[in-house]
Amino acid sequence: AFWVTTILGAIIAMFLYSGSYEIYHWLGLDDDMVTLGVPLLRMRAVSIFLMFVYFALVGFLRGIKKVRQAMYTFAVGVCVFVVFDYLLIFGNYGFPRMELLGSAMASVIQYAVMLVMVAGFVFFDPDNKKYAINLFGGPYSWQEIQRLLWLTWPIAIDKASIAMAYVWLCKMIALIGKTTPNQACIISSMAAIKDMERFALVPGVAFGQVLTFLVSNDWGRNAWADIKSNIKKIILLSLIMVGIIVLIFCFWSRAIIDLFDQKQEFSAFAAPAFCWLSVLVLFDLVQLLLSAALRGTGNVRIVMFVRLAVVLGFFVPLSWLIAHTPFENKFLQFVLVYGVFYFGNACMSIAYVYRLRGEKWKKALR
């Protein structure tokens, strides 16, 4: 599993590094943004490779329920990133002033430190000796590799479908910006809104991982009532926590976005857009938790097929249609294109609820 993940990470990193110029042009960005973005993406490709290796090891810790060690590693990584962001972007305390590339280099350093930490936990914790981990033990049979790929490809595809949905969203938002005086304003608004929404969803992501563990344990002992009870409780708790964060962000949206926008170039556009879109974030939260629950029952292919169907059959064509329709009000067009993404998540949630209301999910193969 480690080597399959590492090789996949290397392939993706090489694709991003070698194809960075073509990727930015496909997104429809102007030449100035391409010039800034290509070196950044190439540097980020290095950190993405380290991230894949890190995930391969931290997944083992989560699998044996040592989530605290994973938490400590991530907390240290965040601190390292913040410190080196400050040092390398601005060139403080004798460090080189790298500006935009400084953030990419900080990400490389972050995942290098996290990788060393998690490797220490995995290989040098006395409690893990019973697992007899040996990455170079081999030999590996093709049948074993096929089995691992067969187990992981549905999850990989469903994760990739959501990631590609965000890439497509960026392309459609950039298309809207082509008819305005400043494309960077539209793209920056999307980036700020997405960051705020991702932060608001942090409790939901944490609850989703816990829900997968709980459902998996209950599924193994056929505790069907407990599974549904835990799903309802965690969805309620997550809605409350995420709802509070979203509400706070709505009240102070302009002040928060001003932190991203020191020159006041896109705050007036992004702040009201976030308020309109913030309610729809709850759709994303619900589908996130329901998909985590279904994975815990082994319904990984159902999650994959639902996400692919919604992204390709609903989000992509409808967002393309809205982005290519002439709108005098670009703010409304921006909100509609972004909102389609969250309405797609609502469709996913409906499909997951329908699955859980039946009986077939109880017999899903892992």
Side-chain angles (χ1 to χ4, degrees), residues 15-54:
F15 168 76
L16 293 175
Y17 188 92
S18 60
S20 55
Y21 188 83
E22 290 76 14
I23 290 171
Y24 276 102
H25 270 288
W26 178 80
L27 287 171
L29 305 180
D30 59 40
D31 291 338
D32 290 338
M33 296 183 72
V34 173
T35 302
L36 287 171
V38 168
L40 175 70
L41 184 57
R42 286 177 174 172
M43 183 74 74
R44 285 285 290 136
V46 178
S47 66
I48 285 171
F49 170 70
L50 296 175
M51 180 180 68
F52 266 80
V53 183
Y54 162 76

Side-chain angles (χ1 to χ4, degrees), residues 110-259:
Q110 173 196 9
Y111 278 103
V113 171
M114 292 168 65
L115 180 56
V116 171
M117 284 188 63
V118 75
F121 284 132
V122 170
F123 297 111
F124 298 104
D125 187 337
D127 290 341
N128 295 340
K129 288 184 178 180
K130 59 189 175 184
Y131 298 107
I133 304 170
N134 184 3
L135 298 181
F136 302 95
Y140 304 110
S141 68
W142 175 239
Q143 288 75 18
E144 289 178 330
I145 295 174
Q146 284 182 310
R147 182 176 61 86
L148 288 172
L149 291 174
W150 181 255
L151 289 171
T152 56
W153 72 266
I155 299 176
I157 290 177
D158 93 60
K159 295 287 187 182
S161 65
I162 295 297
M164 287 305 300
Y166 273 111
V167 175
W168 180 262
L169 176 62
C170 182
K171 181 176 175 63
M172 295 299 102
I173 295 296
L175 184 63
I176 296 172
K178 281 206 171 215
T179 57
T180 63
N182 189 357
Q183 186 186 61
C185 170
I186 303 292
I187 298 294
S188 299
S189 297
M190 174 193 164
I193 291 170
K194 186 175 74 171
D195 285 344
M196 292 170 69
E197 292 174 347
R198 294 301 95 187
F199 182 87
L201 284 172
V202 167
V205 174
F207 274 121
Q209 293 183 358
V210 172
L211 184 58
T212 299
F213 290 146
L214 292 177
V215 170
S216 179
N217 292 336
D218 290 335
W219 190 89
R221 56 189 182 88
N222 298 335
W224 315 125
D226 291 346
I227 289 175
K228 292 191 175 182
S229 176
N230 286 330
I231 291 174
K232 293 175 183 177
K233 291 174 184 175
I234 288 180
I235 287 179
L236 178 60
L237 288 171
S238 299
L239 285 173
I240 293 172
M241 295 182 68
V242 173
I244 291 172
I245 297 174
V246 168
L247 195 61
I248 292 172
F249 280 0
C250 282
F251 277 118
W252 287 282
S253 59
R254 184 61 186 264
I256 294 171
I257 293 177
D258 281 345
L259 298 174

Side-chain angles (χ1 to χ4, degrees), residues 12 79 83 97 100 105 126 170 232 253 287 300 364:
I12 292 174
C79 293
V83 169
R97 181 183 177 89
L100 192 62
M105 178 59 74
C170 182
K232 293 175 183 177
S253 59
Q287 76 83 21
V300 291

